[in-house]
Each structure stands twice: as C-alpha cells, then as structure tokens.
C-alpha cells in the first residue's frame, strides 16, 4: 500500500477507499486529495455503499454545496452490484439542492451517452454495461460531460447536474499518458466558505531583544497611574500595558511564513530546483530534445544535492549536540510526537482542518462539559476545629518568593508576557505587584484581565480526531500565577493539617510513589500469605470541570476559610473566560461556568478540598486518593467482607450524586489480588451496572496483576524500550558517533527501567 505522504505534501488532506478483496491484491481503490485552501469539508459516508468510492461535500457561500463522488468499477464487477449502488444513490443523493459531480473509471467503452444507448459496433460487454447499468444515472438528472466517447476507448467519465464547468485535457508531459485514462482538468468556479488567509504571523524575537533597554524603560516608567487608582481592574490593565509597551520597544518582531522548501535546503539546491522547473516548462512548450537533456541534467543534480544537504544537516546536528542541544531534541521530537498545531478533528461527520474551526470545536466541547447547575440543598458539613484561615497582608518577601517559583521558559498566557521578563525586572515590578495584590485582597475580588486563560487541548488516548479524547489545560497569565503562588503559600500549610492523609495528589512530600508504596505495603503481605484483597478503582469524569462554585465555597467556609477568603476565591472562580489556542490561532471566548482551572496553581488545591469529604463517606474499607483517582480496597475473608466493600461503593456513588460529580461506570474496575487457586468472587455493582472485573490494572503508571507477579509491567516496560530503540535506530541511521546514541539511550530508554 502506498502511503499518503509519498504522493501528496502536508498541505493536502487525503481521503481514500482501498480495495478490500483478498482475491485481488493489485490495483483498485480510489483516492481524493483536498488542498488546505479548502478550510472545511465533510466526507459523505452515507453515500459510500460501494467499496471503491469516496464522496466529499464541500460547503459554499450560496448554500448549494458541491458533492464529489470518486469511483472505480473494475471490468469484472457484477452487474447487480453496480445497479444496486446507483439505485441507492437515487434515494440518498439530493441533486436538486446540491451541485453534484460523479467522476471515476466506469469501464464502459463505446457507449453513446447523448442518446443513452450503446453504439452499434461495440462488443456485447460494453452494450450490456450501458443498457443494464449506467442508464440509471439518467434518473439522477446528471449529464455525461466527456465528448466523443463513442468513437474512443475512454473509460474515465464525468457526470454533473450543472453547466458551469470546464474540462481540458493537458498536453503530454514527459511521461506518455495512458490512452484509456488520459489526465483531465475539471474547472469549477465556486464561492467557497472562508478562503485561506495569509499564513504569515508575527512573533517576538526574544533572542534579539535589548533587555537593558527594557529594564530602563520600566525603571523610568511613571507608576503613579497604578498607585493612584483604587480599581483593581484598572491597575492590572495598566501594569500589563506598561510591560507590553516596553517589550514592543525593546524586543523586535519577526515573521514566519510557510516555506515550500525544508529549512535545511541549501541556496544551491534551491537554485537547481528553480532551474529544473524552468527547463521543464520550456520543454513542455517547445518539445526540444536539448531542453529535455538540460532538464534531465538539473533533475539528477537536484536528487544528488538533496542527499548531500540532508546528510550535511544531520551531521551538523550530531556535531553540535553539546553546544546546541535544542536543535538536536527538536529533530528527535519530530520522530516521537505530532505537533499540537496539526490537530484535525471529525465533528458530526465534518472533517475540520482549519485551525480556527478546530479551536472553536474544542471551545464548544469544553464549554459543554461545565456544570451550570448547583445542588439545591448543600450537605451539612462539620466545621474545622483547627482554627480559621484569615486574609494575611502581603509582604515583599511573598512577592520575591513567588517570582522565584516562576518557570522562566513556560508558555505565556493571552497577555504574551513571559516569565523571564518578570524575573529580570523583579525589583521594579515587585512594589507594583504588591500594591495590586493588596488591593485585590482588601476589595476581595480578582482582576478580570487575569481571569482570561488560554486553553491548550492535551491528547489523552484513543482516536486523535475526536474532541472527547482531549483534556483542557489552562495557560494563565504570569501575573495571575504570581498571585496564586502567594495565596498558595499562605494557606497550604494549614490545609495540609486539615486534608485527609490518604490524599497523595498535589500534596507536599507526597506523590504517586508514596501512594503506591502505601498500597502495596498493605496488599503484598496478604497476597504472600495466601489471602485475598479486593480493590475497586473509580474514574471521575471531568472532575476539574464539574466542581460547582457555590458548593466549593460552602466547603471552604466549613474548612475554616474566613469570609474574606471565601469572597476572594469567589471572585477568582466566577466570570472566568477562556479561549482555545491552536498554534497561533485563538478561538472565540467562552465562559467557564464551573470547575477549577486545570493547569493553575490553586486549582488542584481547591479540588483536594472539594473531594476531601468523599473520604468521610467510606466507613469499612481502606482508601487512597491521588487528586481525582480513587481506589478502595479491603481484605476479603468471607462474603460479609464483600458486602462491606459493596456498601462503601454505594456510599461513594451517593456522595458523587450529592456533590455533582460523575462516575464513569465503564472505566470503574474491580480486581482481586490473591494467589489462591479458589478465591471468593463477588459481583460488585455501581448503581445497576456490574463493575467490570479485570486481572490486570494500570495503577498510577504501574501495571499490577492479580497475583502481583508484575509480569504485565515488565512486558510493558520491555515493549516501550523496544519501541524507543527502534526510534533511536531511525534517528541515528545516518549518525556515526557513539555520543549521540548514548545520549538518546540514557534519555529515552534507560530512565524507563530505573
């Protein structure tokens, strides 16, 4: 099978229907390639009742969309198959409200399409084909557009239901065309939706920035416009504007365009390509042997130079591994993962390629997850006995500690102010930030500008074209992160004393490792002594996005947060807006109706507070949590132990229903750990659904089998290492130095087995 990228560049989307017959492995199948200039299209699978066809619908501004059907009918295709296919089109294909084009190899020579009859001198095969099958297209109100097929053996035909088209047969090129399948160009003028815009976009050339100038601009700036205002929103907006203006003056902009050549093509190679194309055009026009010889010379030169340039580029990456490691790892990343800027989606049968449409599709999906309702009656909660958390004044030390925690090269928010600019100008910005932070606490609100977030879709697993297989991660403004670091520092110590000790997620001095060690420390001795442990793994659907703000604030109040803190967190959570970012493209804004920002500093802490009450509902079993990953387990000696574990399952289900959390029954699993031959099997239920029993489970990255032999985990690690070694072999195919191979081995393979 020929791969799509061997035939078409990345600027095309290829739709294909390959021959599935085991008896005929040669030939057959159809392929349709759509240029990126067509921003959206829809594959019409409802029309593809025949194996070797592809139907595509392209939207137009006049709402009379174009439908193209590409076909191949082999000479030995049964008559009833073709007849049934066209009869199905009569019922499904709307030729009145759509422009329709049917193209393909019909293998029906010698047929007079003007009169709907086979010509007298054609053989019985062609006559049978025409009379029995293809005249049914007349019922679709289509006309055959290729002239003079009665006197030739032309097998490729074009049917349309409109007259605004132009069909031309190009002159013969270097390769002599097939007599039966000459190349043709069908020109159709259409008012397409959203024509492709200029692909250029600007970016900051940080490497060329004058940071001394930036520092001086900010140091000489009149910050009285911030100190004199009592409005939190005005103060935050003026701070951002001052920094952005300074960056505009000190950091130049660059422009990126999509080059038709890879960046490693040398100037000589590009010159040879231009000369080759020039002499090819001259040869097609004049048909001169000398022009063809010159073209052939440059074609061979281009092929040889491509090999030389690529090898030189790879050798430079290898040689500069220590001095320019970023270039090396960018090359490695091209083998390992797909860029987030090349996401394509299928939504309601529509294939989305354009970045803006993809971003808006993600925005619509992420907004649909939010929970706009809140429980009518809040559950009664016992107040904390460890004292109240009150708003504390912000000091200079708090600001500098927060700035020190900023990651200098992390992604920027919608304000495009990077962290390293804030860190480099910390002595100038710290007093201004302290003033704004103090103002927000005194007014118990949060700046609207800092509540705007860029959301990046992160692929989880499954089909990459489904929006359901992505989770939203918020990229916040760095000023917002600073404030969250300050608040987190103020409350995290007290909250650690109040949170359940079985919560290991986003907790200082705890991690997935401590979670697993605690878990295995309990079940390993029991399994080794021929006893039994049943464990149930729960999956909470979109836990970060479903937290109702009102109920969370109620729980914070019961947790010991003062009224001032609760009001401030209310301002932090409500009226937030997000935009999905795909590359340099930003979606339309959408309102965040519930949940805590996934990717923020305070979000995980607030989620831990919210689900902390879940632990109180579990009465009979042990449990461990890692953020929203929940696991309960119990030693099983008799059926009564199973009943007690089932009772805790019911309690967890009741708590989730009362707290607007959704349990995914399909992903909830039960596993029995035991080395006994005969152990007690109990049918645990989640509401009316039987919990799926499994004999191996992936627990926080480690595969645990029912006998704790860890065979599945070893096989998984071995498989991953073999895959990585294969990638390393592909990467280093043209490398000869041992240093490159060792670097890749230690980075991609060895860390997996340690």
């Amino acid at each position: 099978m020929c791969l799509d990228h061997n035939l078409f560049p990345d600027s095309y989307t290829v739709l294909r229907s390959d021959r599935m017959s085991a008896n005929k492995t040669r030939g057959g199948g159809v392929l349709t390639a759509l240029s990126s200039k067509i921003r959206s299209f829809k594959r019409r699978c409802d029309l593809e009742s025949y194996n070797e066809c592809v139907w595509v619908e392209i939207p137009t501004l006049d709402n009379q969309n174009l439908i193209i059907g590409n076909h191949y009918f082999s000479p030995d295709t049964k008559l009833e198959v073709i007849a049934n296919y066209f009869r199905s089109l009569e019922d499904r294909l709307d030729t009145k409200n759509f422009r329709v084009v049917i193209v393909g190899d019909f293998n029906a020579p010698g047929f007079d399409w003007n009169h709907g009859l086979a010509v007298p001198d054609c053989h019985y095969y062609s006559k049978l084909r025409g009379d029995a099958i293809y005249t049914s297209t007349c019922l679709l109100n289509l006309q055959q557009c290729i002239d003079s097929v009665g006197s030739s053996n032309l097998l490729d035909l074009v049917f349309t239901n409109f007259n605004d088209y132009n069909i031309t047969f190009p002159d013969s090129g270097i390769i002599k065309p097939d007599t039966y399948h000459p190349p043709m160009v069908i020109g159709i003028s259409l008012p397409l939706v959203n024509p492709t815009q200029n692909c250029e976009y600007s970016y900051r050339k940080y490497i060329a920035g004058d940071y001394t100038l930036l520092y001086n601009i900010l140091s000489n700036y009149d910050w009285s416009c911030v100190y004199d205002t009592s409005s939190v929103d005005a103060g935050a907006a003026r701070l951002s504007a001052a920094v952005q203006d300074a960056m505009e003056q000190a950091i130049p902009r660059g422009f990126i365009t999509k080059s038709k050549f890879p960046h490693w093509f040398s100037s000589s190679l590009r010159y040879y390509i231009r000369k080759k194309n020039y002499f090819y055009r001259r040869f097609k026009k004049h048909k001169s042997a000398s022009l063809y010889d010159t073209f052939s010379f440059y074609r061979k030169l281009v092929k040889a130079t491509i090999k030389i340039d690529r090898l030189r580029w790879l050798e430079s990456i290898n040689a500069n591994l220590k001095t320019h490691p970023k270039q090396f790892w960018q090359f490695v990343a091209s083998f390992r993962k797909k860029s987030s800027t090349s996401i394509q989606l299928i939504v309601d049968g529509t294939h989305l390629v354009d970045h803006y449409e993809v971003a808006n599709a993600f925005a619509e999906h992420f907004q649909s997850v939010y929970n706009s309702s809140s429980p009518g009656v809040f559950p009664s909660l016992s107040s904390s006995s460890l004292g109240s958390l009150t708003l504390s004044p912000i000091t200079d030390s708090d600001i500098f500690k927060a700035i020190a925690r900023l990651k200098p090269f992390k992604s920027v928010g919608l304000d495009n102010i990077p962290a390293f600019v804030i860190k480099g100008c910390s002595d100038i910005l710290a007093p201004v930030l302290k003033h704004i932070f103090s103002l927000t606490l005194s007014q118990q609100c949060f700046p609207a500008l800092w509540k705007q977030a860029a959301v990046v879709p992160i692929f989880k697993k499954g089909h990459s074209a489904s929006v359901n297989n992505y989770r939203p991660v918020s990229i916040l403004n760095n000023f917002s992160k600073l404030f969250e670091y300050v608040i987190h520092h103020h409350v995290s110590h007290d909250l650690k004393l109040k949170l359940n000790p079985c919560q290991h997620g986003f907790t200082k001095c705890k991690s997935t490792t401590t979670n697993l060690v605690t878990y295995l420390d309990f079940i390993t001795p029991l399994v080794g002594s021929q006893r039994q442990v049943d464990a149930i793994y729960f999956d909470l659907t979109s836990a970060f996005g479903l937290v109702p703000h009102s109920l969370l604030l109620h729980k914070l109040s019961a947790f010991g947060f003062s009224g001032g803190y609760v009001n401030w967190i209310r301002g932090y959570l409500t009226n937030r807006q997000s935009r999905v970012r795909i590359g340099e493209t930003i979606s339309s804004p959408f309102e965040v109706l519930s949940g805590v920002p996934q990717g923020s500093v305070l979000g995980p802490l607030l989620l831990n507070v919210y689900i902390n009450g879940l632990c109180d509902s579990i009465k009979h079993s042990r449990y461990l949590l890692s953020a929203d990953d929940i696991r309960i387990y119990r030693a099983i000696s008799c059926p009564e132990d199973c009943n007690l574990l089932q009772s805790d399952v019911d309690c967890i289900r009741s708590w989730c229903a009362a707290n607007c959390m959704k349990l995914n029954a399909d992903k909830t699993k039960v596993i029995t750990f035991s080395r006994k031959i005969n152990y007690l099997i109990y049918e645990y239920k989640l509401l009316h659904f039987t919990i799926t029993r499994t004999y191996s489970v992936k627990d926080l990255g480690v595969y645990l089998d029912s006998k704790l032999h860890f065979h599945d985990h070893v096989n998984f690690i071995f498989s991953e290492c073999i895959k990585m070694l294969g990638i390393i072999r592909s990467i280093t195919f043209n490398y000869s130095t041992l240093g490159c191979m060792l670097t890749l081995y230690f980075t991609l393979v060895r860390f997996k087995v340690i």
Side-chain angles (χ1 to χ4, degrees), residues 307-321:
K307 295 181 180 179
I308 295 172
D309 283 359
R310 178 173 174 80
L311 186 59
R312 183 187 296 116
W313 172 58
L314 294 176
E315 289 176 349
S316 68
I317 292 176
N318 187 20
N320 299 329
L321 174 58

Side-chain angles (χ1 to χ4, degrees), residues 467-642:
V467 293
N468 297 318
N469 295 329
Y470 292 81
R471 70 173 183 271
V473 174
S474 298
I475 308 297
L476 306 180
N477 298 340
N478 281 306
F479 291 133
S480 173
K481 285 184 180 180
L482 281 176
F483 201 0
E484 292 185 48
Y485 278 131
V486 172
I487 300 300
H488 188 278
H489 176 69
H490 283 186
V491 303
S492 58
H493 177 71
D494 290 332
L495 283 182
K496 183 179 179 181
L497 301 176
K498 300 177 182 181
L499 289 173
N500 193 292
C502 293
Q503 173 63 268
H504 290 250
F506 304 111
T507 305
K508 190 175 182 180
C509 300
K510 292 185 179 180
S511 64
T512 56
T513 302
T514 60
N515 186 305
L516 284 170
V517 168
T518 304
Y519 183 48
L520 293 174
D521 188 57
F522 174 79
I523 66 174
T524 302
L526 294 174
V527 173
S529 59
Q530 297 296 310
R531 297 180 63 187
Q532 174 180 340
V533 177
D534 281 4
I536 300 178
Y537 293 79
F538 295 91
D539 181 81
L540 291 178
T541 302
S542 302
F544 276 86
L546 290 178
V547 175
H549 294 156
S550 56
L551 183 52
L552 173 60
L553 296 172
H554 175 65
K555 293 190 176 189
L556 289 172
S557 180
F559 231 72
F561 281 74
S562 65
Y565 253 134
V566 172
N567 290 332
W568 181 86
I569 294 175
R570 178 183 287 109
Y572 168 77
L573 292 173
T574 56
N575 299 321
R576 298 187 71 91
Q577 280 194 339
S578 295
R579 294 171 180 259
V580 176
R581 177 191 285 166
I582 303 292
E584 296 297 318
T585 305
I586 304 295
S587 74
S588 302
F590 60 94
E591 186 177 0
V592 179
L593 302 176
S594 64
V596 293
Q598 189 171 359
S600 64
V601 178
L602 288 178
L605 188 65
L606 296 175
L607 180 67
N608 282 352
V609 172
Y610 186 81
I611 66 175
N612 191 69
L614 173 64
C615 303
D616 298 332
S617 66
I618 303 172
K619 304 295 184 181
H620 310 291
S621 308
R622 293 174 177 265
Y623 54 88
L624 286 170
L625 292 83
S626 182
D628 58 341
D629 292 326
I630 306 165
R631 165 205 317 121
I632 65 173
Y633 52 99
R634 180 181 175 85
I636 303 299
S637 301
C638 60
E640 180 60 26
D641 293 326
C642 298

Side-chain angles (χ1 to χ4, degrees), residues 56-69:
V56 181
E57 179 180 340
I58 301 174
T60 58
L61 288 176
D62 59 2
N63 293 324
Q64 192 175 3
N65 295 350
L66 174 67
I67 299 180
I68 302 175

Side-chain angles (χ1 to χ4, degrees), residues 173-174 275-285 291 295:
I174 298 176
K275 297 292 286 185
K276 175 183 75 76
N277 294 338
Y278 169 75
F279 283 107
Y280 173 72
R281 292 191 299 268
R282 293 288 305 274
F283 165 72
K284 287 195 66 178
K285 184 176 181 180
L291 289 175
F295 162 73

